[in-house]
Amino acid sequence: MGRQPCCDKVGVKKGPWTPEEDLILVSYIQQHGPGNWRAVPTKTGLLRCSKSCRLRWANYLRPGIRRGNFTENEEKMIIHLQALLGNRWAAIASYLPERTDNDIKNYWNTHLKRKLKKLQGNESSSRYGFPSSSSSYQICRGQWERKLQTDIHMAKKDLSDALSPEKSSDLVEMKPLNDHTSYPKPSGYASSTENIAKLLKGWMRNNPWKMADSADYSEEGTVPMKEDKNSKEMAEAFQSHLGFESLDSSLSDISPSMSPETSLSQYESKPHLNAQSQLSLLEKWLFDEGKDYQLCDITLDQNLHFF
DNA sequence: AAGCCCCTCAACCGCATTGCG
DNA sequence: TCGCAATGCGGTTGAGGGGCT
């Protein structure tokens, strides 16, 4: 017996979303918060299936998404994570909080895959300058796996700490780290989402499940601009909780601290603290390992072994 | 200017997983 | 424990835009 379709196919609209539909969806989520997608089409009158609504929100309308212009560091992270995790785009995306899995997947398929293949043809010219013997590759994988286990263990510990009663209240109040980076304006129809951004303005302010700092949501997809002393303190506390110093500036562009919107989305679909913890751990690992352990022995062409 | 080709990315499809009664 | 509904995820498609001839 076949699975029931997620929605009645009759009368369901398909294809690109119009600005009007976006506005309807955003206003609904503004009032009710994301989730219960099944109810969205009936409650909003949108002729879209629940999955389409969820996807539209998750990949496009959700605040805090950065689109296009992947930095070189992001590129490196994606390449390494893809080698490590395979095509688990959602998992990879959890390490790049501003990127959606769909975006990463598209970027991989359209840019990186080709790039790697090109480089494979030119084996001697490893862009990252790593050796490519198979033995070092095996050692490297083993090190990656051991390191991953350690990180998972640490992440679990973070989680259990976070869930302990005496700490949980602190964590609820923990604010995201803001670096006040402006997100680039989306392209294409996305520019129409300036309207959406305007609609979203004040959303966090009125939202019962809003995050701290939300009152400063600014126009056109930028993150809040106000420096909050408390958030700095919390950021420091957070980093000390993780047990290492601030990431260096090379990381800042791939890990710009999370905007309230991002935090919101993480509350929606990603484990906030744990994901952030793992993110930081992995970032540090990815960019330190190359120096300290020569762990990044995997050349780009070796990544091809994984797909 | 017109036609063709290629690339990008938003969105769809279907399977997997999770949650709940 | 089971079955169903809801949600998540990854692969794939196709519309639209840009570049080239």
Side-chain angles (χ1 to χ4, degrees):
Chain A
M1 185 175 134
R3 166 176 285 264
Q4 291 279 326
C6 73
C7 51
D8 183 5
K9 301 281 181 188
V10 180
V12 171
K13 191 180 168 194
K14 285 161 72 169
W17 281 64
T18 64
E20 289 76 22
E21 288 176 309
D22 282 343
L23 284 169
I24 291 169
L25 181 58
V26 168
S27 355
Y28 176 82
I29 294 172
Q30 183 180 352
Q31 286 170 25
H32 300 92
N36 195 15
W37 297 108
R38 186 82 176 179
V40 173
T42 51
K43 297 245 173 102
T44 59
L46 285 168
L47 301 174
R48 298 280 180 172
C49 77
S50 56
K51 286 170 82 170
S52 183
C53 294
R54 186 183 65 81
L55 218 61
R56 183 63 182 172
W57 171 256
N59 289 337
Y60 207 89
L61 299 173
R62 178 166 61 90
I65 294 176
R66 197 148 63 97
R67 312 185 59 77
N69 299 324
F70 279 74
T71 66
E72 191 162 325
N73 282 333
E74 284 178 311
E75 216 173 80
K76 284 181 192 176
M77 272 197 85
I78 293 168
I79 290 167
H80 283 297
L81 287 166
Q82 202 280 339
L84 185 68
L85 302 169
N87 293 354
R88 293 172 56 204
W89 306 116
I92 293 171
S94 71
Y95 294 100
L96 296 161
E98 297 176 335
R99 302 292 187 179
T100 69
D101 53 353
N102 209 34
D103 251 7
I104 293 170
K105 181 174 60 183
N106 280 334
Y107 190 68
W108 174 263
N109 287 330
T110 57
H111 294 89
L112 298 180
K113 222 168 171 178
R114 196 178 311 136
K115 208 174 201 174
L116 294 180
K117 273 183 185 166
K118 207 171 172 183
L119 285 165
Q120 188 187 32
N122 187 14
E123 193 150 355
S124 59
S125 64
S126 172
R127 178 174 157 205
Y128 296 95
F130 301 124
S132 61
S133 72
S134 60
S135 59
S136 68
Y137 165 68
Q138 291 298 334
I139 291 165
C140 176
R141 274 210 81 178
Q143 287 173 326
W144 272 73
E145 283 159 6
R146 278 195 299 277
K147 183 77 179 172
L148 180 63
Q149 283 182 347
T150 308
D151 285 344
I152 289 168
H153 177 75
M154 290 175 72
K156 278 181 179 171
K157 188 172 178 300
D158 277 338
L159 179 62
S160 72
D161 287 350
L163 292 175
S164 69
E166 64 273 22
K167 289 189 180 177
S168 58
S169 60
D170 291 341
L171 290 164
V172 166
E173 291 182 12
M174 183 165 288
K175 300 189 178 193
L177 301 81
N178 289 320
D179 72 348
H180 314 300
T181 308
S182 288
Y183 295 107
K185 222 184 276 184
S187 59
Y189 158 59
S191 59
S192 305
T193 57
E194 287 172 24
N195 297 331
I196 313 270
K198 283 173 185 167
L199 183 67
L200 283 165
K201 187 180 174 185
W203 164 18
M204 310 297 283
R205 196 177 300 140
N206 302 326
N207 216 302
W209 35 272
K210 67 184 176 183
M211 289 291 295
D213 279 349
S214 61
D216 295 303
Y217 193 86
S218 55
E219 282 195 21
E220 298 181 2
T222 58
V223 296
M225 302 301 289
K226 188 179 77 179
E227 179 72 26
D228 184 327
K229 186 190 167 203
N230 193 31
S231 70
K232 267 190 169 177
E233 289 168 4
M234 295 312 287
E236 284 164 14
F238 181 60
Q239 292 198 339
S240 100
H241 174 73
L242 290 179
F244 51 75
E245 71 287 354
S246 299
L247 298 173
D248 63 36
S249 59
S250 71
L251 289 174
S252 63
D253 62 33
I254 57 166
S255 172
S257 49
M258 293 188 298
S259 65
E261 301 80 28
T262 309
S263 302
L264 164 69
S265 70
Q266 291 207 345
Y267 269 87
E268 176 199 343
S269 60
K270 295 172 182 177
H272 178 65
L273 174 66
N274 207 24
Q276 180 68 8
S277 169
Q278 288 193 50
L279 166 66
S280 303
L281 287 167
L282 192 78
E283 281 172 347
K284 188 172 168 59
W285 166 37
L286 283 171
F287 295 103
D288 282 351
E289 296 296 58
K291 289 175 283 181
D292 301 335
Y293 309 126
Q294 294 200 325
L295 195 54
C296 294
D297 273 348
I298 297 179
T299 59
L300 293 176
D301 52 344
Q302 282 170 332
N303 275 293
L304 293 171
H305 289 285
F306 294 105
F307 59 83

